[in-house]
Amino acid sequence: MHVIDLLRELVHFPVLGGQSNLSIIQWIEGYLRDFGVASKLVYNGDRTKASLHCRIGPAIDGGVILSGHTDVVPAEGQEWLSEPFELTDKGDGRLYGRGACDMKGFLACCLAVIPDMMRNGLKKPIYLAFSYDEEIGCLAAPELAADIVDSYEEKPSFAIIGEPTSMQPVVAQKGIYILDITVNGSAGHSSRIRQEVSAVHEAARLVLWLEEKMDDLVRAGSLDHRFDPPNTSLHSGQIQGGIAPNVIADRAVLTCDIRVIPSDDIEMIVHEFNVHCRQREAEVRQKFPEFKIESTERHPPVPPLDTAKSSPVVPLIRTISQCDTLGAVSYAAEAGQFAECGFHSVICGPGSIAQAHRANEYIEKSQLEAGVAMLRRLVKICSE
């Protein structure tokens, strides 16, 4: 199948992060089976979702993993000019559809070169590794990468994560950690604000602490100018609490999004925040003994990526992408998780991240062609 036809099939599956992805993963499994490629599914606990991996080529060390995710973000509530889950060609050189860019375009490129892999007589193996629930915290990648380590006697050397980078090799990404923070205060009439403890006011103090911590890191010189912004960011994107202007809120919930540069320690930042919360609890409980601040994680921390320029994956990705410039991205991806499993990892794929997660998401046809060309160059190298 042509890469556009493959992308059309993949976009048709409306699999959102958090939902079962078995429909799309089983379609991919069947596509591979038609070429005689056996794949393994790595299920979640209740077997409603699965990652997939397979090897094409000989069972020897030094292979390359091509990795991507099968889930997408919602389209509901956005002003689409076409059906989000039908690939639309408007004749402007772009293909529109949810996930066309992020990141079913790369999946389509991988599947499009399966015939090349099968007929070229690979001397180094190429692996496919497709995950689920990337869009809600990169939840499946650690287990997928670990299962690749456990499933093959040989060890792959490299991992290329095909997030949209406009085909520029990316060697660094920020990590991410999202916390839901619940504050328990005391309800009462607003005239008693000095006698009661407003959960909204206390939540606001926590927002200010998080912002001050971000500024402290900058003042301490914790910067990495490969990124924009060049520092770890602590952002409070949501805060909810209270029932009326004249009622002191007894509960408030805020959400903190931490995007950490590779040189900063996300666990230390969270530890310092928790220490501050315990200190604030001890102080406020003198007025209201039931005052409490509780933090729960949306998902485990997603580690940053920091692949050295001296890594052996760098000359490979430069050669096959035909781009020498190495980039860094502030969004989180699964590359750091593959790196933690011992694979030399980079991010490089078709499409622009500027088109991800928005209405009328598209990928340029020229980017799909470039993605296929990159992977065909990889096949050629692995066949020599």
Side-chain angles (χ1 to χ4, degrees), residues 212-224:
E212 184 64 18
K213 178 60 183 177
M214 178 172 59
D215 293 341
D216 285 345
L217 291 169
V218 173
R219 285 190 287 265
S222 186
L223 301 171
D224 189 333

Side-chain angles (χ1 to χ4, degrees), residues 351-367:
S352 169
I353 195 63
Q355 298 307 318
H357 297 196
R358 67 191 307 165
N360 306 303
E361 175 184 350
Y362 67 81
I363 190 168
E364 295 178 354
K365 293 181 182 179
S366 60
Q367 283 286 297

Side-chain angles (χ1 to χ4, degrees), residues 6-125:
L6 286 163
L7 181 57
R8 181 173 292 107
E9 292 286 347
L10 295 172
V11 167
H12 184 68
F13 292 97
V15 175
L16 308 183
Q19 297 180 350
S20 173
N21 75 324
L22 294 183
S23 57
I24 186 171
I25 212 71
Q26 289 170 351
W27 185 89
I28 293 171
E29 182 184 32
Y31 176 87
L32 294 170
R33 189 186 305 116
D34 288 343
F35 289 95
V37 177
S39 56
K40 179 180 178 182
L41 299 187
V42 184
Y43 287 95
N44 66 337
D46 59 8
R47 300 179 71 85
T48 58
K49 308 171 190 176
S51 298
L52 174 150
H53 64 80
C54 65
R55 179 188 65 222
I56 303 167
I60 61 174
D61 292 342
V64 182
I65 299 168
L66 302 176
S67 179
H69 60 84
T70 58
D71 60 314
V72 298
V73 297
E76 186 177 355
Q78 295 182 329
E79 295 184 6
W80 282 77
L81 301 178
S82 57
E83 171 55 45
F85 294 104
E86 291 181 9
L87 193 68
T88 300
D89 186 346
K90 299 182 180 180
D92 58 359
R94 301 169 176 175
L95 299 168
Y96 296 83
R98 173 57 84 224
C101 173
D102 183 16
M103 59 177 299
K104 292 177 177 178
F106 181 72
L107 302 188
C109 291
C110 292
L111 298 179
V113 298
I114 295 295
D116 301 79
M117 296 182 194
M118 298 302 293
R119 64 173 170 257
N120 273 45
L122 295 176
K123 295 180 181 178
K124 289 279 189 179

Side-chain angles (χ1 to χ4, degrees), residues 66-278:
L66 302 176
S67 179
H69 60 84
T70 58
D71 60 314
V72 298
V73 297
E76 186 177 355
Q78 295 182 329
E79 295 184 6
W80 282 77
L81 301 178
S82 57
E83 171 55 45
F85 294 104
E86 291 181 9
L87 193 68
T88 300
D89 186 346
K90 299 182 180 180
D92 58 359
R94 301 169 176 175
L95 299 168
Y96 296 83
R98 173 57 84 224
C101 173
D102 183 16
M103 59 177 299
K104 292 177 177 178
F106 181 72
L107 302 188
C109 291
C110 292
L111 298 179
V113 298
I114 295 295
D116 301 79
M117 296 182 194
M118 298 302 293
R119 64 173 170 257
N120 273 45
L122 295 176
K123 295 180 181 178
K124 289 279 189 179
I126 295 176
Y127 305 78
L128 301 185
F130 298 160
S131 68
Y132 61 87
D133 283 358
E134 191 272 350
E135 294 291 5
I136 59 170
C138 301
L139 300 185
E143 186 176 8
L144 171 59
D147 201 79
I148 290 173
V149 172
D150 293 339
S151 296
Y152 304 100
E153 292 184 3
E154 77 281 4
K155 171 108 180 264
S157 293
F158 309 128
I160 300 172
I161 287 73
E163 291 282 355
T165 66
S166 299
M167 300 305 299
Q168 179 188 16
V170 166
V171 295
Q173 66 165 71
K174 289 186 177 183
I176 182 175
Y177 192 40
I178 299 178
L179 287 173
D180 289 319
I181 304 160
T182 302
V183 181
N184 180 56
S186 57
H189 193 282
S190 59
S191 63
R192 288 178 48 82
I193 187 59
R194 303 295 289 180
Q195 289 80 28
E196 305 291 348
V197 175
S198 167
V200 167
H201 286 207
E202 292 298 326
R205 290 187 175 92
L206 295 178
V207 172
L208 293 176
W209 186 94
L210 292 164
E211 185 172 5
E212 184 64 18
K213 178 60 183 177
M214 178 172 59
D215 293 341
D216 285 345
L217 291 169
V218 173
R219 285 190 287 265
S222 186
L223 301 171
D224 189 333
H225 289 284
R226 295 176 297 174
F227 296 98
D228 183 18
N231 57 282
T232 291
S233 60
L234 288 84
H235 167 246
S236 301
Q238 292 177 305
I239 185 167
Q240 298 174 334
I243 60 172
N246 59 349
V247 178
I248 296 170
D250 62 356
R251 186 176 184 274
V253 179
L254 69 94
T255 301
C256 176
D257 174 295
I258 304 173
R259 306 270 172 162
V260 64
I261 59 176
S263 58
D264 283 343
D265 187 338
I266 197 165
E267 292 184 359
M268 181 58 66
I269 293 171
V270 174
H271 172 72
E272 291 179 15
F273 176 70
N274 288 332
V275 168
H276 169 75
C277 290
R278 302 296 79 78

